[in-house]
Amino acid sequence: MNGGGCGRRTVLGGLAGTALIGLSPVRARATETAAPAPARLAALLDTLRDDPHPDLKGVVVLRRGRRVAEAYYNGDDAGTLHDIRSATKSLTGLLMGITIDRGRVAGVDAPIARYLPGPLPAGWEAITIRDLLTMRSGLAADDTDPASPGNEDTLDEAGEKTGDWATAALAVPMREAPDRTYQYCSLNAFLVGLIVEHATGQSLDRLAQEALFGPLGIAAHSWRQLPGGHGTGQGNLSITARDAATIGQMVLNGGTYKGRRVISQRWLSDSLARIHPIAASDPYADFYGYMWYAKDERLDDGRTVPVHFASGNGGNKIYVVPSRDLVVAITSRAYGKGYGQRRSQDILLGILATLS
């Protein structure tokens, strides 16, 4: 969709020659211990203004539930709504959890055909909600292959022609039996969102406002609607960097925010679990859960820090670091650029080193 995909995590163009703002000096500054941590964080974020790529937008750092540092770049500010692309998928996963918590969907082992309008292609009856959440549906959907029937851009074009993206999506054939192979694709997240809409009788946007954004105090956002009126569970949610960090804080808190239960702790635990290893196909993640990633980030001193995160094209991130009581939200417009993901990872590593 959206001219380059909501959030494909393949490294386009490679990493060589990106001149990544010299983040080795950034990390060197992060190891200085003379100044208090907030001052060192501010200095670290200030070095990012030297980035030769004018597409970094914002960085917000929460420590122990408090905002300890933030910076904005290239025209953005604290109130700017930013398209976080496929980091939206992680929020769609949260909305599925809320839907299950409310008893509107039986659970992750329920067949998706129970909640979708038929008739469906042969083999869809074997797909469960868990298969969609873990990107193991077996559908012939590959966002990196234009010839794939379920390619995101192909479905978008078909939806524009027919006026109903869902009709095209529900006609995608099977590639193989479900629960065999991890294949990242936007179709799975769209279907999760479609099931939520059918099960609750609400649009994704309406449910998010009532059950997620409202309890978190998120007042302003924009979420694209597809032809046919369906939400884009796969991407195109625009929020502020501060609000992205607030979502991360709720996840870090195990589903609560300011003492209020937003989503069950069990759902958060299952979502962040290291369910399927994906390091062989993804240089920035080790495992995939329910539309959330996990990775052991290695610091320069050899220590490793477990990190959970939502990820979108261009380097859009919501990092959750339980061992450091830390949340880092990064907004970026490096859409389709290989350096975007690397830059965000290096920003996180610099912050982790600063707070060691």
Side-chain angles (χ1 to χ4, degrees):
M1 299 181 61
N2 66 45
C6 291
R8 277 167 263 178
R9 307 196 71 251
T10 49
V11 182
L12 306 177
L15 299 176
T18 58
L20 190 62
I21 65 171
L23 267 182
S24 52
V26 171
R27 293 189 199 174
R29 294 187 191 193
T31 61
E32 297 173 4
T33 57
R40 285 183 281 126
L41 281 174
L44 172 69
L45 298 189
D46 195 51
T47 65
L48 300 175
R49 302 189 189 283
D50 298 328
D51 187 342
H53 304 289
D55 46 25
L56 181 64
K57 291 298 185 174
V59 181
V60 176
V61 183
L62 305 182
R63 188 86 188 279
R64 302 185 182 96
R66 297 177 56 251
R67 192 184 316 126
V68 294
E70 69 180 327
Y72 298 94
Y73 313 90
N74 300 303
D76 275 24
D77 58 33
T80 302
L81 295 179
H82 180 87
D83 185 350
I84 62 172
R85 297 292 178 99
S86 276
T88 306
K89 289 180 172 67
S90 300
L91 275 65
T92 300
L94 297 180
L95 292 177
M96 174 58 79
I98 290 170
T99 303
I100 290 175
D101 287 344
R102 293 181 171 185
R104 305 305 292 270
V105 168
V108 293
D109 294 318
I112 67 172
R114 184 184 302 175
Y115 303 98
L116 294 172
L120 298 172
W124 278 55
E125 69 280 357
I127 303 173
T128 66
I129 289 170
R130 187 195 306 273
D131 295 327
L132 295 180
L133 291 167
T134 58
M135 297 289 179
R136 294 166 68 91
S137 66
L139 290 167
D142 183 348
D143 288 347
T144 66
D145 180 6
S148 170
N151 174 276
E152 181 181 29
D153 295 331
T154 301
L155 290 175
D156 201 30
E157 292 171 6
E160 293 291 345
K161 290 179 181 178
T162 64
D164 188 355
W165 212 89
T167 298
L170 294 174
V172 173
M174 299 292 293
R175 182 189 70 249
E176 64 181 12
D179 197 28
R180 288 185 179 179
T181 306
Y182 170 87
Q183 176 61 63
Y184 180 90
C185 67
S186 291
L187 176 57
N188 288 333
F190 171 74
L191 292 174
V192 171
L194 188 62
I195 289 168
V196 167
E197 290 182 332
H198 276 267
T200 63
Q202 295 178 279
S203 68
L204 281 180
D205 195 14
R206 178 66 66 85
L207 179 64
Q209 290 181 58
E210 177 252 311
L212 185 61
F213 298 154
L216 297 181
I218 296 174
H221 75 281
S222 176
W223 201 344
R224 180 191 175 197
Q225 273 201 332
L226 291 166
H230 298 295
T232 50
Q234 66 274 32
N236 299 126
L237 171 66
S238 294
I239 57 176
T240 69
R242 282 185 178 181
D243 288 340
T246 296
I247 292 167
Q249 186 64 46
M250 183 273 293
V251 171
L252 180 63
N253 292 348
T256 65
Y257 184 72
K258 293 186 175 179
R260 177 178 178 179
R261 172 64 59 187
V262 178
I263 186 171
S264 68
Q265 184 171 9
R266 177 178 178 180
W267 184 262
L268 264 301
S269 296
D270 291 345
S271 295
L272 303 185
R274 299 179 169 211
I275 297 175
H276 296 300
I278 62 171
S281 61
D282 191 327
Y284 298 105
D286 295 333
F287 294 91
Y288 200 69
Y290 291 171
M291 296 193 166
W292 284 80
Y293 297 89
K295 184 173 179 62
D296 290 331
E297 295 287 5
R298 183 175 293 275
L299 304 185
D300 287 343
D301 62 10
R303 289 179 295 167
T304 58
V305 180
V307 177
H308 307 283
F309 61 100
S311 180
N313 192 339
N316 291 285
K317 305 284 184 178
I318 304 174
Y319 290 113
V320 178
V321 191
S323 66
R324 304 295 176 87
D325 205 351
L326 177 72
V327 173
V328 178
I330 300 173
T331 52
S332 166
R333 289 188 61 84
Y335 301 136
K337 305 293 177 58
Y339 62 77
Q341 302 287 0
R342 171 71 180 275
R343 178 175 62 193
S344 292
Q345 183 185 48
D346 278 347
I347 292 170
L348 173 69
L349 290 171
I351 291 169
L352 289 172
T354 299
L355 297 176
S356 293

